[in-house]
Amino acid sequence: MPEPVSAPGLMPPAERSNWIRLRTLILLRWAAIAGQAIAIAVAEVYFQIQLDLGLCLLVVGTAVLANIIAVSVFPENRRLSETETMLTLLFDIVQLAALLYLTGGLNNPFALLILTPVTISATALSQRSTLFLAHVAFALITVLAFYHMPLVTADGSMQSLPPIFLFGFWAALVIGISFLGLYAERVISEMNKMSDALLATQMALAREQKLTDLGGVVAAAAHELGTPLATIKLVSSEMIDELSDRPELREDMELIRDQADRCRDIMRSMGRAGKDDLHMRTAPLEAIVEEAAEPHVNRGKELIFRSEPIHGGAPRMPMVHRRPEIIHGLRNLIQNAVDFADARVWVLAQWTPAEITIRIMDDGPGYPPHLLGRIGDPFLRQRKNPLHQKKRPEYEGMGLGLFIAKTLLERSGAQVIFANGSDPFLTDADRSDPRGAVVEVKWPISAIGVSAESQLAALGENMPIEA
Protein backbone atom coordinates (compact mmCIF):
# COMPACT_ATOMS: atom_id res chain seq x y z
CA MET A 1 0.00 0.00 0.00
CA PRO A 2 1.37 3.44 -0.85
CA GLU A 3 2.58 5.11 2.25
CA PRO A 4 4.19 8.39 3.15
CA VAL A 5 7.47 10.00 3.66
CA SER A 6 8.93 10.46 7.06
CA ALA A 7 8.41 13.45 9.27
CA PRO A 8 11.45 14.08 11.43
CA GLY A 9 11.43 15.93 14.69
CA LEU A 10 8.24 14.52 16.19
CA MET A 11 8.14 13.45 19.82
CA PRO A 12 7.61 9.73 20.38
CA PRO A 13 4.28 9.03 22.11
CA ALA A 14 6.04 7.35 25.05
CA GLU A 15 7.65 10.66 26.05
CA ARG A 16 4.31 12.39 26.56
CA SER A 17 4.06 10.97 30.06
CA ASN A 18 6.86 13.39 31.01
CA TRP A 19 4.56 16.33 30.28
CA ILE A 20 2.64 16.03 33.59
CA ARG A 21 3.58 18.72 36.10
CA LEU A 22 3.83 17.87 39.79
CA ARG A 23 1.89 21.08 40.53
CA THR A 24 -1.12 19.75 38.61
CA LEU A 25 -1.34 16.55 40.63
CA ILE A 26 -0.77 18.43 43.89
CA LEU A 27 -3.65 20.81 43.16
CA LEU A 28 -5.92 17.89 42.28
CA ARG A 29 -4.98 16.18 45.54
CA TRP A 30 -5.70 19.34 47.56
CA ALA A 31 -9.15 19.39 45.98
CA ALA A 32 -9.66 15.73 46.90
CA ILE A 33 -8.50 16.39 50.48
CA ALA A 34 -10.96 19.27 50.83
CA GLY A 35 -13.77 17.08 49.52
CA GLN A 36 -12.90 14.23 51.85
CA ALA A 37 -12.83 16.53 54.87
CA ILE A 38 -16.19 18.07 53.96
CA ALA A 39 -17.76 14.62 53.38
CA ILE A 40 -16.54 13.37 56.78
CA ALA A 41 -17.87 16.49 58.52
CA VAL A 42 -21.27 16.26 56.85
CA ALA A 43 -21.59 12.53 57.63
CA GLU A 44 -20.64 13.07 61.26
CA VAL A 45 -22.62 16.25 61.98
CA TYR A 46 -25.61 16.24 59.65
CA PHE A 47 -26.29 12.52 59.21
CA GLN A 48 -24.93 11.61 62.67
CA ILE A 49 -22.99 8.63 61.35
CA GLN A 50 -20.59 7.26 63.92
CA LEU A 51 -17.21 7.27 62.19
CA ASP A 52 -13.79 6.53 63.62
CA LEU A 53 -12.72 10.15 63.27
CA GLY A 54 -9.18 9.50 64.48
CA LEU A 55 -8.44 6.95 61.76
CA CYS A 56 -10.32 8.94 59.11
CA LEU A 57 -8.34 12.09 59.86
CA LEU A 58 -5.13 10.03 59.92
CA VAL A 59 -5.82 8.77 56.38
CA VAL A 60 -6.67 12.28 55.19
CA GLY A 61 -3.57 13.54 56.95
CA THR A 62 -1.35 11.17 54.97
CA ALA A 63 -2.52 12.89 51.79
CA VAL A 64 -1.82 16.31 53.33
CA LEU A 65 1.64 15.13 54.43
CA ALA A 66 2.37 13.76 50.95
CA ASN A 67 1.52 17.12 49.40
CA ILE A 68 3.65 19.03 51.91
CA ILE A 69 6.63 16.75 51.30
CA ALA A 70 6.22 17.01 47.51
CA VAL A 71 6.09 20.83 47.66
CA SER A 72 9.09 20.98 50.01
CA VAL A 73 11.34 18.59 48.12
CA PHE A 74 10.53 19.35 44.48
CA PRO A 75 9.98 22.61 42.57
CA GLU A 76 6.38 23.22 41.49
CA ASN A 77 7.29 23.14 37.80
CA ARG A 78 8.83 19.67 38.12
CA ARG A 79 7.82 17.39 35.24
CA LEU A 80 7.15 13.89 36.49
CA SER A 81 8.43 10.80 34.77
CA GLU A 82 6.18 7.90 33.82
CA THR A 83 7.07 5.99 36.99
CA GLU A 84 6.69 9.01 39.27
CA THR A 85 3.26 9.85 37.90
CA MET A 86 2.15 6.22 38.19
CA LEU A 87 3.30 6.03 41.82
CA THR A 88 1.52 9.30 42.63
CA LEU A 89 -1.76 7.97 41.22
CA LEU A 90 -1.21 4.64 42.99
CA PHE A 91 -0.91 6.50 46.30
CA ASP A 92 -4.21 8.31 45.59
CA ILE A 93 -5.99 5.00 44.85
CA VAL A 94 -4.70 3.33 48.03
CA GLN A 95 -5.45 6.41 50.17
CA LEU A 96 -9.02 6.60 48.85
CA ALA A 97 -9.50 2.85 49.37
CA ALA A 98 -8.29 3.15 52.98
CA LEU A 99 -10.78 5.97 53.61
CA LEU A 100 -13.58 3.94 52.01
CA TYR A 101 -12.71 1.00 54.27
CA LEU A 102 -13.31 3.24 57.29
CA THR A 103 -16.55 4.66 55.89
CA GLY A 104 -18.63 1.74 54.72
CA GLY A 105 -16.75 0.34 51.73
CA LEU A 106 -19.01 0.12 48.66
CA ASN A 107 -21.96 1.26 50.75
CA ASN A 108 -20.33 4.68 50.51
CA PRO A 109 -21.44 6.36 47.25
CA PHE A 110 -18.12 8.20 47.09
CA ALA A 111 -16.51 4.90 46.07
CA LEU A 112 -17.24 6.16 42.56
CA LEU A 113 -14.23 8.50 42.90
CA ILE A 114 -11.86 5.56 42.52
CA LEU A 115 -12.45 5.97 38.78
CA THR A 116 -10.55 9.28 38.79
CA PRO A 117 -6.90 8.14 39.13
CA VAL A 118 -7.38 5.39 36.53
CA THR A 119 -8.92 7.86 34.07
CA ILE A 120 -6.05 10.31 34.62
CA SER A 121 -3.59 7.49 33.98
CA ALA A 122 -5.38 6.56 30.75
CA THR A 123 -5.05 10.12 29.46
CA ALA A 124 -1.43 10.70 30.50
CA LEU A 125 0.44 7.42 30.94
CA SER A 126 1.26 4.36 28.90
CA GLN A 127 -1.12 1.46 28.50
CA ARG A 128 1.06 -0.68 30.76
CA SER A 129 0.82 1.77 33.68
CA THR A 130 -2.91 2.20 33.18
CA LEU A 131 -3.49 -1.56 33.20
CA PHE A 132 -1.49 -1.87 36.44
CA LEU A 133 -3.50 0.86 38.18
CA ALA A 134 -6.78 -0.55 36.87
CA HIS A 135 -6.00 -3.99 38.27
CA VAL A 136 -5.06 -2.46 41.62
CA ALA A 137 -8.40 -0.63 41.62
CA PHE A 138 -10.24 -3.85 40.72
CA ALA A 139 -8.60 -5.68 43.60
CA LEU A 140 -9.28 -2.92 46.15
CA ILE A 141 -12.97 -2.48 45.32
CA THR A 142 -13.41 -6.26 45.44
CA VAL A 143 -11.85 -6.34 48.93
CA LEU A 144 -13.99 -3.35 49.98
CA ALA A 145 -17.13 -5.18 48.91
CA PHE A 146 -16.51 -7.81 51.62
CA TYR A 147 -14.32 -6.10 54.21
CA HIS A 148 -15.10 -2.65 55.57
CA MET A 149 -16.20 -0.86 58.70
CA PRO A 150 -19.99 -0.46 58.74
CA LEU A 151 -21.88 2.81 58.66
CA VAL A 152 -23.65 3.12 62.00
CA THR A 153 -25.93 6.02 62.90
CA ALA A 154 -26.38 7.56 66.36
CA ASP A 155 -29.39 5.34 67.12
CA GLY A 156 -27.32 2.20 66.43
CA SER A 157 -28.89 1.25 63.09
CA MET A 158 -26.54 -0.02 60.36
CA GLN A 159 -26.74 1.56 56.90
CA SER A 160 -25.99 -0.90 54.12
CA LEU A 161 -27.13 -1.68 50.59
CA PRO A 162 -29.03 -4.87 49.77
CA PRO A 163 -26.69 -7.54 48.39
CA ILE A 164 -28.08 -7.21 44.84
CA PHE A 165 -27.44 -3.45 44.83
CA LEU A 166 -24.01 -3.96 46.36
CA PHE A 167 -23.12 -6.41 43.60
CA GLY A 168 -24.51 -4.01 40.99
CA PHE A 169 -22.43 -1.15 42.36
CA TRP A 170 -19.32 -3.34 42.32
CA ALA A 171 -20.01 -4.41 38.71
CA ALA A 172 -20.67 -0.81 37.71
CA LEU A 173 -17.31 0.28 39.14
CA VAL A 174 -15.45 -2.53 37.39
CA ILE A 175 -17.14 -1.76 34.06
CA GLY A 176 -16.69 1.98 34.59
CA ILE A 177 -12.96 1.63 35.23
CA SER A 178 -12.58 -0.57 32.16
CA PHE A 179 -14.72 1.54 29.85
CA LEU A 180 -13.52 4.98 30.94
CA GLY A 181 -9.89 3.85 30.89
CA LEU A 182 -10.20 2.41 27.38
CA TYR A 183 -12.30 5.33 26.12
CA ALA A 184 -9.93 7.99 27.46
CA GLU A 185 -6.85 6.12 26.19
CA ARG A 186 -8.25 5.79 22.65
CA VAL A 187 -9.43 9.40 22.43
CA ILE A 188 -6.14 10.82 23.74
CA SER A 189 -4.20 8.51 21.41
CA GLU A 190 -6.15 9.80 18.43
CA MET A 191 -5.62 13.40 19.54
CA ASN A 192 -1.87 12.86 19.97
CA LYS A 193 -1.59 11.21 16.56
CA MET A 194 -3.46 14.05 14.92
CA SER A 195 -1.32 16.60 16.74
CA ASP A 196 1.88 14.92 15.50
CA ALA A 197 0.51 14.64 11.99
CA LEU A 198 -0.51 18.30 11.85
CA LEU A 199 2.92 19.29 13.17
CA ALA A 200 4.55 17.27 10.40
CA THR A 201 2.25 18.98 7.88
CA GLN A 202 3.28 22.41 9.14
CA MET A 203 6.96 21.43 8.93
CA ALA A 204 6.58 20.21 5.36
CA LEU A 205 4.75 23.36 4.31
CA ALA A 206 7.31 25.56 6.04
CA ARG A 207 10.17 23.86 4.13
CA GLU A 208 8.36 24.34 0.85
CA GLN A 209 7.57 27.97 1.71
CA LYS A 210 11.23 28.69 2.48
CA LEU A 211 12.22 27.48 -0.97
CA THR A 212 9.56 29.68 -2.53
CA ASP A 213 10.67 32.73 -0.53
CA LEU A 214 14.33 32.23 -1.41
CA GLY A 215 13.86 33.97 -4.75
CA GLY A 216 12.58 37.09 -3.01
CA VAL A 217 15.60 37.13 -0.69
CA VAL A 218 17.97 36.88 -3.64
CA ALA A 219 16.19 39.72 -5.45
CA ALA A 220 16.37 41.94 -2.36
CA ALA A 221 20.09 41.20 -1.87
CA ALA A 222 20.81 42.04 -5.51
CA HIS A 223 18.95 45.34 -5.17
CA GLU A 224 20.69 46.35 -1.95
CA LEU A 225 24.19 45.55 -3.27
CA GLY A 226 23.65 47.39 -6.54
CA THR A 227 24.34 50.87 -5.12
CA PRO A 228 27.66 50.09 -3.34
CA LEU A 229 28.94 48.24 -6.42
CA ALA A 230 28.07 51.23 -8.60
CA THR A 231 29.93 53.52 -6.18
CA ILE A 232 33.01 51.26 -6.25
CA LYS A 233 33.00 51.32 -10.04
CA LEU A 234 32.63 55.12 -10.19
CA VAL A 235 35.43 55.79 -7.71
CA SER A 236 37.76 53.28 -9.35
CA SER A 237 37.15 54.82 -12.81
CA GLU A 238 37.99 58.30 -11.51
CA MET A 239 41.16 57.00 -9.84
CA ILE A 240 42.26 55.27 -13.05
CA ASP A 241 42.17 58.66 -14.83
CA GLU A 242 44.24 60.22 -12.06
CA LEU A 243 46.88 57.43 -11.98
CA SER A 244 48.13 57.71 -15.54
CA ASP A 245 51.69 58.24 -14.20
CA ARG A 246 51.49 55.29 -11.79
CA PRO A 247 51.08 52.20 -14.03
CA GLU A 248 51.29 49.64 -11.19
CA LEU A 249 48.48 51.34 -9.23
CA ARG A 250 46.50 51.93 -12.43
CA GLU A 251 46.50 48.15 -13.11
CA ASP A 252 45.22 47.47 -9.59
CA MET A 253 42.42 49.99 -10.00
CA GLU A 254 41.48 48.53 -13.37
CA LEU A 255 41.28 45.11 -11.73
CA ILE A 256 39.01 46.52 -9.03
CA ARG A 257 36.77 48.10 -11.68
CA ASP A 258 36.60 44.86 -13.67
CA GLN A 259 35.74 42.85 -10.59
CA ALA A 260 33.05 45.38 -9.66
CA ASP A 261 31.61 44.94 -13.16
CA ARG A 262 31.68 41.19 -12.68
CA CYS A 263 29.91 41.47 -9.32
CA ARG A 264 27.32 43.74 -10.95
CA ASP A 265 26.65 41.17 -13.68
CA ILE A 266 26.37 38.34 -11.15
CA MET A 267 23.98 40.28 -8.92
CA ARG A 268 21.94 41.40 -11.92
CA SER A 269 21.57 37.78 -12.98
CA MET A 270 20.65 36.72 -9.45
CA GLY A 271 18.23 39.59 -9.12
CA ARG A 272 16.56 38.69 -12.40
CA ALA A 273 16.21 35.07 -11.29
CA GLY A 274 14.92 36.12 -7.91
CA LYS A 275 12.37 38.47 -9.42
CA ASP A 276 11.31 35.76 -11.84
CA ASP A 277 10.69 33.39 -8.91
CA LEU A 278 9.02 36.08 -6.88
CA HIS A 279 6.67 37.12 -9.64
CA MET A 280 5.92 33.66 -10.97
CA ARG A 281 2.74 33.50 -9.01
CA THR A 282 0.99 31.43 -11.65
CA ALA A 283 2.11 28.75 -14.09
CA PRO A 284 0.48 26.41 -16.60
CA LEU A 285 -1.14 23.38 -14.98
CA GLU A 286 1.26 21.02 -16.75
CA ALA A 287 4.29 22.97 -15.46
CA ILE A 288 3.05 22.63 -11.86
CA VAL A 289 2.59 18.87 -12.29
CA GLU A 290 6.02 18.41 -13.85
CA GLU A 291 7.66 20.51 -11.11
CA ALA A 292 6.02 18.32 -8.46
CA ALA A 293 7.14 15.13 -10.22
CA GLU A 294 10.68 16.27 -11.10
CA PRO A 295 12.48 14.61 -8.11
CA HIS A 296 11.00 11.23 -9.06
CA VAL A 297 11.51 11.23 -12.84
CA ASN A 298 14.73 9.19 -12.83
CA ARG A 299 13.93 6.64 -10.14
CA GLY A 300 13.61 3.60 -12.36
CA LYS A 301 9.89 3.94 -13.13
CA GLU A 302 8.37 5.41 -16.27
CA LEU A 303 6.31 8.56 -15.63
CA ILE A 304 3.69 9.25 -18.30
CA PHE A 305 2.17 12.76 -18.36
CA ARG A 306 -1.01 13.68 -20.19
CA SER A 307 -2.99 16.91 -20.25
CA GLU A 308 -6.36 17.35 -21.93
CA PRO A 309 -9.60 19.32 -21.74
CA ILE A 310 -12.80 17.36 -21.08
CA HIS A 311 -16.52 18.13 -21.03
CA GLY A 312 -16.22 21.39 -22.90
CA GLY A 313 -12.99 22.60 -21.33
CA ALA A 314 -11.07 25.32 -23.14
CA PRO A 315 -8.39 24.15 -25.60
CA ARG A 316 -5.81 26.33 -23.89
CA MET A 317 -4.34 24.92 -20.67
CA PRO A 318 -5.46 26.83 -17.55
CA MET A 319 -3.03 28.83 -15.46
CA VAL A 320 -2.99 27.99 -11.75
CA HIS A 321 -1.50 29.53 -8.64
CA ARG A 322 1.96 28.16 -7.89
CA ARG A 323 1.38 27.45 -4.20
CA PRO A 324 3.86 25.49 -2.05
CA GLU A 325 1.10 23.31 -0.56
CA ILE A 326 -0.08 22.23 -4.01
CA ILE A 327 3.42 21.33 -5.21
CA HIS A 328 4.37 19.52 -2.00
CA GLY A 329 1.07 17.65 -1.81
CA LEU A 330 1.28 16.43 -5.42
CA ARG A 331 4.95 15.52 -4.91
CA ASN A 332 4.05 13.25 -1.98
CA LEU A 333 1.32 11.53 -3.99
CA ILE A 334 3.62 10.99 -6.97
CA GLN A 335 6.37 9.68 -4.69
CA ASN A 336 4.02 7.07 -3.26
CA ALA A 337 2.91 6.02 -6.73
CA VAL A 338 6.53 5.68 -7.91
CA ASP A 339 7.51 3.74 -4.78
CA PHE A 340 4.84 1.10 -5.26
CA ALA A 341 4.48 0.96 -9.05
CA ASP A 342 5.77 -2.09 -10.90
CA ALA A 343 6.97 -0.17 -13.96
CA ARG A 344 4.81 2.86 -14.84
CA VAL A 345 3.01 5.82 -13.27
CA TRP A 346 0.42 7.89 -15.11
CA VAL A 347 -0.21 11.54 -14.20
CA LEU A 348 -3.31 12.83 -16.00
CA ALA A 349 -4.30 16.52 -15.83
CA GLN A 350 -7.77 17.39 -17.07
CA TRP A 351 -9.95 20.47 -16.94
CA THR A 352 -13.53 21.51 -17.57
CA PRO A 353 -14.98 25.04 -17.56
CA ALA A 354 -15.55 24.69 -13.80
CA GLU A 355 -13.01 22.18 -12.45
CA ILE A 356 -9.38 21.07 -12.61
CA THR A 357 -8.58 17.41 -11.96
CA ILE A 358 -5.23 15.65 -11.52
CA ARG A 359 -5.34 11.87 -11.44
CA ILE A 360 -2.27 9.85 -10.38
CA MET A 361 -2.35 6.12 -11.24
CA ASP A 362 0.17 3.28 -11.13
CA ASP A 363 0.45 -0.37 -12.12
CA GLY A 364 1.29 -1.64 -8.63
CA PRO A 365 -0.74 -3.75 -6.21
CA GLY A 366 -3.05 -0.91 -5.15
CA TYR A 367 -4.49 -0.17 -1.74
CA PRO A 368 -5.61 -3.04 0.53
CA PRO A 369 -9.41 -3.11 0.18
CA HIS A 370 -10.01 -3.23 3.95
CA LEU A 371 -8.03 0.02 4.44
CA LEU A 372 -9.39 1.92 1.46
CA GLY A 373 -11.82 3.97 3.54
CA ARG A 374 -9.06 5.06 5.92
CA ILE A 375 -6.41 6.12 3.39
CA GLY A 376 -5.20 9.60 4.34
CA ASP A 377 -5.49 9.06 8.11
CA PRO A 378 -2.24 9.69 10.04
CA PHE A 379 -0.21 6.73 11.33
CA LEU A 380 -2.45 4.31 9.45
CA ARG A 381 -0.14 1.37 10.09
CA GLN A 382 3.45 0.54 10.93
CA ARG A 383 5.43 -1.14 8.18
CA LYS A 384 6.91 -4.44 9.36
CA ASN A 385 6.68 -6.58 6.24
CA PRO A 386 10.19 -7.43 4.93
CA LEU A 387 8.81 -7.44 1.37
CA HIS A 388 7.70 -3.85 1.77
CA GLN A 389 11.05 -2.89 3.27
CA LYS A 390 12.75 -4.38 0.20
CA LYS A 391 10.44 -2.38 -2.03
CA ARG A 392 11.26 0.85 -0.18
CA PRO A 393 14.64 0.31 1.50
CA GLU A 394 15.00 4.01 2.23
CA TYR A 395 11.68 4.19 4.05
CA GLU A 396 11.89 4.96 7.76
CA GLY A 397 8.79 7.11 7.94
CA MET A 398 5.97 7.36 10.43
CA GLY A 399 3.00 6.90 8.08
CA LEU A 400 2.33 10.58 7.44
CA GLY A 401 2.96 11.24 3.74
CA LEU A 402 -0.55 10.63 2.46
CA PHE A 403 -1.99 12.53 5.41
CA ILE A 404 0.32 15.48 4.72
CA ALA A 405 -0.54 15.44 1.02
CA LYS A 406 -4.28 15.21 1.69
CA THR A 407 -4.18 17.95 4.33
CA LEU A 408 -2.15 20.37 2.19
CA LEU A 409 -4.24 19.80 -0.93
CA GLU A 410 -7.52 20.15 0.93
CA ARG A 411 -6.15 23.35 2.40
CA SER A 412 -5.85 24.67 -1.15
CA GLY A 413 -9.52 23.86 -1.78
CA ALA A 414 -9.15 20.40 -3.33
CA GLN A 415 -11.16 17.25 -2.87
CA VAL A 416 -8.89 14.18 -2.60
CA ILE A 417 -10.26 10.71 -3.42
CA PHE A 418 -8.36 7.43 -3.05
CA ALA A 419 -9.38 4.32 -5.01
CA ASN A 420 -8.04 1.26 -6.80
CA GLY A 421 -7.74 1.15 -10.56
CA SER A 422 -9.34 -2.30 -10.86
CA ASP A 423 -10.77 -5.12 -8.82
CA PRO A 424 -7.89 -6.54 -6.71
CA PHE A 425 -9.31 -10.05 -7.09
CA LEU A 426 -8.89 -10.12 -10.88
CA THR A 427 -5.92 -11.86 -12.44
CA ASP A 428 -3.13 -9.76 -13.96
CA ALA A 429 -4.27 -10.77 -17.44
CA ASP A 430 -7.75 -9.35 -16.80
CA ARG A 431 -6.62 -6.07 -15.27
CA SER A 432 -5.96 -2.86 -17.19
CA ASP A 433 -2.58 -1.11 -17.23
CA PRO A 434 -3.41 1.54 -14.57
CA ARG A 435 -4.51 -1.22 -12.23
CA GLY A 436 -2.97 -0.11 -8.95
CA ALA A 437 -3.65 2.84 -6.66
CA VAL A 438 -5.55 5.83 -8.01
CA VAL A 439 -5.57 9.28 -6.41
CA GLU A 440 -7.89 11.94 -7.81
CA VAL A 441 -7.36 15.56 -6.79
CA LYS A 442 -10.13 17.91 -7.88
CA TRP A 443 -10.37 21.70 -7.46
CA PRO A 444 -12.97 24.25 -8.48
CA ILE A 445 -11.12 26.26 -11.10
CA SER A 446 -11.77 29.43 -9.10
CA ALA A 447 -9.90 28.00 -6.08
CA ILE A 448 -6.41 27.72 -7.56
CA GLY A 449 -6.25 29.92 -10.63
CA VAL A 450 -7.92 31.49 -13.61
CA SER A 451 -8.59 30.12 -17.04
CA ALA A 452 -6.38 30.95 -20.00
CA GLU A 453 -9.26 32.91 -21.57
CA SER A 454 -9.47 35.22 -18.54
CA GLN A 455 -5.74 35.97 -18.71
CA LEU A 456 -5.98 36.50 -22.42
CA ALA A 457 -8.79 39.03 -21.92
CA ALA A 458 -6.67 40.89 -19.39
CA LEU A 459 -3.39 40.86 -21.32
CA GLY A 460 -4.55 40.76 -24.92
CA GLU A 461 -3.20 38.69 -27.79
CA ASN A 462 0.52 38.68 -28.59
CA MET A 463 0.98 41.00 -31.56
CA PRO A 464 3.90 41.10 -34.00
CA ILE A 465 6.25 44.07 -33.82
CA GLU A 466 5.74 46.42 -36.70
CA ALA A 467 8.83 47.44 -38.61
Side-chain angles (χ1 to χ4, degrees):
M1 175 188 121
E3 290 195 14
V5 294
S6 63
L10 301 183
M11 177 171 290
E15 295 185 9
R16 285 197 170 87
S17 59
N18 297 334
W19 291 0
I20 305 300
R21 288 192 308 167
L22 176 63
R23 175 184 172 83
T24 301
L25 295 183
I26 287 176
L27 291 177
L28 291 175
R29 186 178 290 158
W30 280 126
I33 291 170
Q36 291 169 2
I38 292 172
I40 292 172
V42 170
E44 181 75 20
V45 176
Y46 184 79
F47 292 103
Q48 296 184 349
I49 296 176
Q50 304 300 307
L51 299 175
D52 190 331
L53 283 180
L55 290 178
C56 288
L57 294 177
L58 178 63
V59 172
V60 175
T62 59
V64 174
L65 183 62
N67 267 6
I68 293 175
I69 293 175
V71 172
S72 303
V73 174
F74 303 105
E76 289 190 354
N77 61 351
R78 165 75 179 270
R79 300 282 178 177
L80 298 180
S81 67
E82 168 93 10
T83 302
E84 291 170 337
T85 305
M86 188 267 291
L87 291 175
T88 301
L89 295 175
L90 178 62
F91 172 85
D92 292 335
I93 291 176
V94 174
Q95 188 264 350
L96 178 59
L99 193 59
L100 290 173
Y101 172 79
L102 299 173
T103 56
L106 296 190
N107 294 296
N108 186 337
F110 289 106
L112 184 67
L113 294 176
I114 206 165
L115 295 169
T116 304
V118 180
T119 305
I120 294 175
S121 174
T123 60
L125 303 183
S126 67
Q127 191 176 62
R128 182 177 179 180
S129 296
T130 302
L131 285 174
F132 172 74
L133 293 176
H135 282 86
V136 170
F138 292 155
L140 290 176
I141 63 175
T142 302
V143 170
L144 290 172
F146 297 99
Y147 304 101
H148 54 267
M149 296 180 66
L151 293 174
V152 181
T153 59
D155 58 5
S157 61
M158 185 178 300
Q159 305 296 318
S160 62
L161 293 173
I164 188 170
F165 286 101
L166 192 66
F167 173 78
F169 192 26
W170 174 86
L173 288 175
V174 170
I175 295 172
I177 290 172
S178 303
F179 176 77
L180 286 179
L182 179 62
Y183 181 83
E185 191 273 334
R186 291 300 300 271
V187 170
I188 293 299
S189 175
E190 289 294 323
M191 291 175 60
N192 288 337
K193 288 180 180 180
M194 187 61 68
S195 175
D196 280 348
L198 291 174
L199 175 60
T201 303
Q202 293 294 333
M203 292 167 60
L205 183 58
R207 287 195 297 268
E208 200 71 30
Q209 189 67 52
K210 285 179 181 178
L211 294 176
T212 301
D213 293 342
L214 185 58
V217 175
V218 172
H223 174 75
E224 294 297 329
L225 290 174
T227 300
L229 287 174
T231 302
I232 292 173
K233 181 182 177 182
L234 177 62
V235 173
S236 60
S237 297
E238 291 177 352
M239 294 186 68
I240 288 173
D241 294 337
E242 296 175 2
L243 293 174
S244 55
D245 56 341
R246 302 282 300 274
E248 67 283 358
L249 294 179
R250 181 185 177 90
E251 290 179 1
D252 292 339
M253 295 309 302
E254 288 176 348
L255 179 60
I256 293 174
R257 182 189 62 184
D258 293 342
Q259 293 302 310
D261 287 338
R262 184 182 176 189
C263 290
R264 178 202 61 194
D265 294 339
I266 293 173
M267 297 308 300
R268 182 179 297 169
S269 174
M270 292 174 62
R272 187 180 299 115
K275 290 176 182 177
D276 288 344
D277 286 341
L278 187 63
H279 295 134
M280 195 173 71
R281 303 294 185 179
T282 61
L285 177 61
E286 188 176 45
I288 295 294
V289 172
E290 291 179 353
E291 180 179 356
E294 190 273 333
H296 311 295
V297 170
N298 297 316
R299 292 186 53 202
K301 309 292 174 64
E302 180 184 5
L303 266 67
I304 301 172
F305 298 93
R306 282 171 45 201
S307 304
E308 60 185 19
I310 57 172
H311 306 312
R316 181 173 298 194
M317 183 178 298
M319 303 289 288
V320 299
H321 290 292
R322 187 178 172 276
R323 296 179 184 170
E325 57 265 37
I326 294 176
I327 296 172
H328 192 87
L330 292 176
R331 183 170 295 158
N332 268 15
L333 296 179
I334 294 172
Q335 175 178 339
N336 277 275
V338 170
D339 286 341
F340 288 88
D342 290 337
R344 287 181 293 278
V345 173
W346 292 263
V347 183
L348 176 62
Q350 298 175 322
W351 59 92
T352 70
E355 291 182 332
I356 292 174
T357 302
I358 296 176
R359 191 174 293 110
I360 301 168
M361 303 167 286
D362 62 65
D363 60 352
Y367 300 110
H370 67 286
L371 293 178
L372 197 54
R374 298 176 55 203
I375 302 298
D377 287 351
F379 306 98
L380 185 56
R381 69 172 184 175
Q382 295 293 330
R383 181 180 307 279
K384 301 294 184 183
N385 193 320
L387 179 61
H388 288 163
Q389 285 298 124
K390 184 177 180 182
K391 230 173 159 55
R392 279 180 92 177
E394 76 285 358
Y395 179 81
E396 296 179 357
M398 300 172 64
L400 292 176
L402 290 180
F403 171 80
I404 291 174
K406 185 173 183 288
T407 302
L408 292 178
L409 292 171
E410 287 178 345
R411 176 175 174 170
S412 70
Q415 178 186 9
V416 184
I417 300 172
F418 300 92
N420 282 323
S422 63
D423 190 332
F425 300 103
L426 295 176
T427 64
D428 288 344
D430 296 330
R431 297 168 72 187
S432 58
D433 265 354
R435 59 184 179 269
V438 177
V439 185
E440 183 176 271
V441 187
K442 184 181 296 185
W443 294 269
I445 200 166
S446 59
I448 62 170
V450 295
S451 66
E453 284 76 7
S454 299
Q455 289 200 350
L456 182 63
L459 300 175
E461 290 276 8
N462 289 333
M463 303 297 292
I465 299 175
E466 297 182 1

